[in-house]
Amino acid sequence: MCAAANEAAKSKDCPAVKYRKKRWLEVFEACDENNKGYLNREDYKVAIVMLFGYKPSKVEVDSVMASVKQNPFGLSLEEFLNLMTTKKVVHFYHSEIRRLFMSFDRQCRGFLSFEDFKKAFSIVAPKLPERIIVEAFREVDQDSDGRISFNEFESAMKYGQENLSHLT
């Protein structure tokens, strides 16, 4: 990658960004039946399957179609490219959270014990007092079962990101 996810999404000189945009253009053209210049609901679903490997939910498609500004029948190429840029950044962020969780879950159990959590903190913040680690564990362990699931971890990461974003 050229830089952090949000910077890479903005960079026009990055080869990875150029490749992605070229790929998105190819998918748009392949899904734009009859060369009408936009993607309707069905076209959009096929494009998402081609690019991300999943069929979008009705809610996702409704949301995207409701956001269409230029053409009430579907997504223009410009809107599609903008949407894919945003979607790629979100997908990258989610993947990074999963990779971080998995690096802390050293025994591959699908959850973090307090010992896993403490070990992670000893690596990233070795001088942090244990009482702070205990408080953080309790805060992230939303259901108080003594384990941090991926969903709890992801929620904590997003909450932390949202609360730090006002500092930048």
Side-chain angles (χ1 to χ4, degrees):
M1 271 319 221
C2 296
N6 56 352
E7 291 303 314
K10 296 175 190 173
S11 172
K12 292 185 178 12
D13 298 327
C14 176
V17 171
K18 286 180 180 180
Y19 171 79
R20 274 196 305 269
K21 291 208 176 189
K22 181 179 180 225
R23 173 78 175 127
W24 297 338
L25 176 61
E26 290 169 355
V27 168
F28 182 91
E29 290 172 350
C31 294
D32 178 13
E33 286 193 15
N34 302 325
N35 296 320
K36 55 194 174 301
Y38 62 88
L39 299 183
N40 63 26
R41 294 177 68 82
E42 293 307 312
D43 299 337
Y44 173 75
K45 288 179 195 177
V46 173
I48 294 302
V49 170
M50 289 174 71
L51 291 171
F52 295 97
Y54 77 93
K55 181 180 175 188
S57 69
K58 183 180 183 322
V59 172
E60 179 181 342
V61 175
D62 288 347
S63 174
V64 167
M65 291 300 145
S67 71
V68 171
K69 295 179 180 92
Q70 296 176 1
N71 183 338
F73 300 110
L75 284 169
S76 69
L77 175 59
E78 180 183 346
E79 289 171 322
F80 180 73
L81 293 176
N82 289 338
L83 181 65
M84 292 305 102
T85 299
T86 302
K87 198 164 188 56
K88 183 65 182 173
V89 169
V90 168
H91 184 74
F92 177 80
Y93 180 69
H94 180 77
S95 296
E96 287 299 304
I97 291 174
R98 179 158 300 283
R99 191 177 357 245
L100 184 60
F101 178 83
M102 290 170 63
S103 70
F104 292 163
D105 181 13
R106 295 178 157 244
Q107 296 177 4
C108 299
R109 295 177 295 196
F111 64 86
L112 303 180
S113 68
F114 176 70
E115 290 306 314
D116 296 328
F117 200 71
K118 194 165 114 176
K119 177 74 174 163
F121 272 94
S122 73
I123 294 167
V124 297
K127 297 191 189 279
L128 196 65
E130 187 169 338
R131 68 176 176 72
I132 302 293
I133 299 169
V134 169
E135 289 174 28
F137 185 84
R138 286 184 184 144
E139 186 72 29
V140 177
D141 182 18
Q142 296 169 356
D143 60 5
S144 301
D145 66 352
R147 300 174 174 183
I148 296 175
S149 68
F150 174 72
N151 289 339
E152 291 170 323
F153 185 80
E154 181 180 40
S155 178
M157 294 294 288
K158 286 180 180 176
Y159 176 79
Q161 182 69 29
E162 289 167 3
N163 287 318
L164 292 175
S165 65
H166 72 279
L167 298 175
T168 58

